[in-house]
Each structure stands twice: as structure tokens, then as C-alpha cells.
Amino acid sequence: GISMKLLLLGPPGAGKGTQAQAISAHFSIPHISTGDMLRAAIKADTPLGRESKKIIAAGELVSDNIMIALIKERIAQGDCKQGFLLDGFPRTLPQAEALVANQVNLDFVIELKVPDEVIVERISGRRIHLASGRTYHIRFHPPKIPGKDDVTGGSLVQREDDKEATVRQRLAVYHQQSELLGNFYQKCYQADGQPIYIKIDGAQAANKITDKILQYLTHHRLFT
Ligand code: AP5
Ligand code: MG
């Protein structure tokens, strides 16, 4: 059958989670966010959660070995048979190489380009519903009732790693370790046509970005 394996790349606060929600719903494929998985583990106080809590709060990366094991287990699950959308993994070269080594062949890589100044503004206004991962922004995407999730009415919170100093550290880590993945996938595309690489201006309105991504994906006619 048809399978759709997508990856969203981009700095913290680029809008990966926001776009992932719309795209995964459109194609009925699971949205796999390693950040959401780690936050769920922290909330449930599992060994993984206890191990990652301080690392995330400091804006650093959880080790490649842990993340690779986590993602291998996740994409082996039955709901990933028709494809999936990765958000937040890979974010280092060893993580990207692990996908290749495990014959996880991505169909599309979508990179959201957003300047650092825009990111700081986006992240400072972000509020999340922890249980579902749904994301809001006090100005750009406000909930219907302030501080409450639209679907469940549950409370919205700020992420612990969304303080400005931590955001700057996350951005530094992105520029050091993750930004180069854009080149990595662009080279794969130029060499053998897989995965198809799409770069999008992520500083536009969220719904415009969604429209553009869906246009690109349907243009390549993997789906009707
Ligand atoms: P993770 O949760 O993945 O965080 P991140 O990559 O820093 O990205 P964010 O979730 O902050 O941003 P986003 O791009 O999803 O933007 P969003 O849509 O929310 O990872 C957290 C931590 O976990 C890492 O720092 C690391 O410690 C650890 N970790 C995770 N994966 C790992 C891995 N593979 N290896 C090692 N460690 C790992 O949007 C942001 C805000 O802007 C929202 O308020 C939204 O409403 C708003 N917004 C979105 N789009 C627009 C738009 N177009 N216009 C205006 N506002 C917008
Ligand atoms: Mg996110």
C-alpha cells in the first residue's frame, strides 16, 4: 500500500508541532514528536523521564543512544505501517545515520526556515496542553478561553524550557548540531532523488505554510 514517511526540520519554535498536527491529520498518519514523548515520560515519572528532565530544562540534547532506541520502538508499532511524520528526530548526524542504517527511508523532508528573532517571540507566547501536546500562542493562536485547551477545557501551561535563557541555549544547540541536517538531506536528494527535500519560509502565517506543504506533497502525486 501507499506509505508516507515525512520529516519536519527546523529550529525550536519554528512551528514543527503546529504544522505536524495539520499534516498528520490530513494524511491520517501518526505525529511522532520526540519532545512530546519525553515530556510525557517526565510527567509519568518513568526512568526515561527522570533521566531527561534536567537535560531538557537546560536546553541540551538527550543522548543519541536513548533517542535512537526510543524512535526504533515507536516506528515499529502497527500504526506506523501507512507512514508517519517525524518531528524533533533526527536532530544530530548520528540520529540521521541511524535511520539510514535501519532502512527507514523517508519520502519527504520539509525544512522550516525561521530567523532567531521570530523564534524568541513565538516561544515566549507559547502555551501547551500537556496531555495532548496541543499548542497555542497568546497572540498568534489564542485558545477560545484564555488558559484553557479548546478540546478538553484542561489547563494550559508554559514549557519549562521556554524561559528566554533556555531558548537561547536551545537555539545555540540547534545551530551547532541540528542545522546541518538540512544539508545532509539536500545532498541525499541531489544524489538519488530520495527523500524529496522541500524548504519553506516558516515566518509566514501558519495556515499559509500548511497550504504550501500540502500543495507540494500532493503535487508529487503520491496521494490523490
Ligand atoms: P522539542 O519538543 O522537539 O522542542 P523544539 O525542537 O525545541 O521545538 P519546539 O517544540 O519548541 O517548537 P516547534 O517547532 O514544535 O514549534 P511550535 O509549533 O510549538 O524538544 C524539546 C527538548 O527535548 C529538546 O530541547 C531536547 O532536550 C529534547 N529532545 C527532543 N528530541 C530530541 C532528540 N531527537 N535528540 C535529543 N534530544 C531531544 O510553535 C511555537 C509557537 O509559535 C507556538 O506558540 C505556536 O502557536 C506559534 N506558531 C507556530 N507557527 C506559527 C506561525 N507560522 N506564525 C506565528 N506563530 C506560530
Ligand atoms: Mg514542538
Side-chain angles (χ1 to χ4, degrees):
I2 300 164
S3 139
M4 184 72 144
K5 299 195 189 93
L6 309 177
L7 164 62
L8 270 171
L9 285 180
K16 301 183 296 295
T18 301
Q19 295 306 323
Q21 221 172 298
I23 299 164
S24 63
H26 185 91
F27 293 117
S28 301
I29 50 175
H31 167 203
I32 302 179
S33 159
T34 42
D36 286 352
M37 290 166 79
L38 293 172
R39 282 184 288 280
I42 291 172
K43 198 176 179 214
D45 198 28
T46 66
L48 172 67
R50 287 192 288 277
E51 170 122 26
S52 7
K53 190 174 160 67
K54 279 200 187 122
I55 300 172
I56 293 178
E60 303 293 344
L61 296 182
V62 176
S63 79
D64 286 335
N65 287 344
I66 291 179
M67 296 312 299
I68 290 165
L70 186 71
I71 217 76
K72 271 175 79 169
E73 190 187 316
R74 179 64 189 88
I75 62 184
Q77 287 169 23
D79 64 336
C80 291
K81 281 216 175 74
Q82 306 303 315
F84 47 79
L85 196 169
L86 294 177
D87 158 12
F89 183 100
R91 72 212 279 152
T92 65
L93 205 51
Q95 291 179 16
E97 283 163 349
L99 286 182
V100 176
N102 286 279
Q103 277 115 33
V104 179
N105 300 315
L106 299 169
D107 299 298
F108 291 93
V109 173
I110 304 152
E111 182 175 6
L112 298 173
K113 293 296 264 187
V114 183
D116 286 8
E117 319 81 74
V118 176
I119 283 166
V120 174
E121 187 189 14
R122 282 190 186 174
I123 290 189
S124 63
R126 173 164 57 191
R127 301 290 182 273
I128 66 163
H129 181 241
L130 204 52
S132 67
R134 272 185 291 277
T135 300
Y136 301 87
H137 190 283
I138 52 173
R139 262 184 63 208
F140 305 132
H141 178 40
K144 291 182 187 124
I145 301 165
K148 303 287 176 202
D149 177 44
D150 286 353
V151 179
T152 64
S155 293
L156 302 181
V157 296
Q158 252 187 306
R159 269 169 49 176
E160 213 188 322
D161 58 345
D162 279 356
K163 299 185 205 92
E164 185 158 344
T166 313
V167 172
R168 300 228 176 256
Q169 176 57 24
R170 287 161 58 199
L171 274 170
V173 168
Y174 170 79
H175 290 306
Q176 281 159 14
Q177 303 201 49
S178 310
E179 196 167 20
L180 53 89
L181 292 177
N183 268 330
F184 174 85
Y185 285 112
Q186 222 166 332
K187 275 189 193 145
C188 296
Y189 179 46
Q190 283 155 2
D192 64 5
Q194 283 292 356
I196 293 169
Y197 178 83
I198 300 164
K199 199 183 229 173
I200 292 191
D201 171 14
Q204 318 166 70
N207 59 346
K208 276 208 172 150
I209 297 170
T210 306
D211 288 349
K212 282 199 180 149
I213 292 174
L214 293 177
Q215 256 175 40
Y216 274 117
L217 298 184
T218 40
H219 173 79
H220 286 281
R221 293 184 198 290
L222 280 181
F223 278 82
T224 47

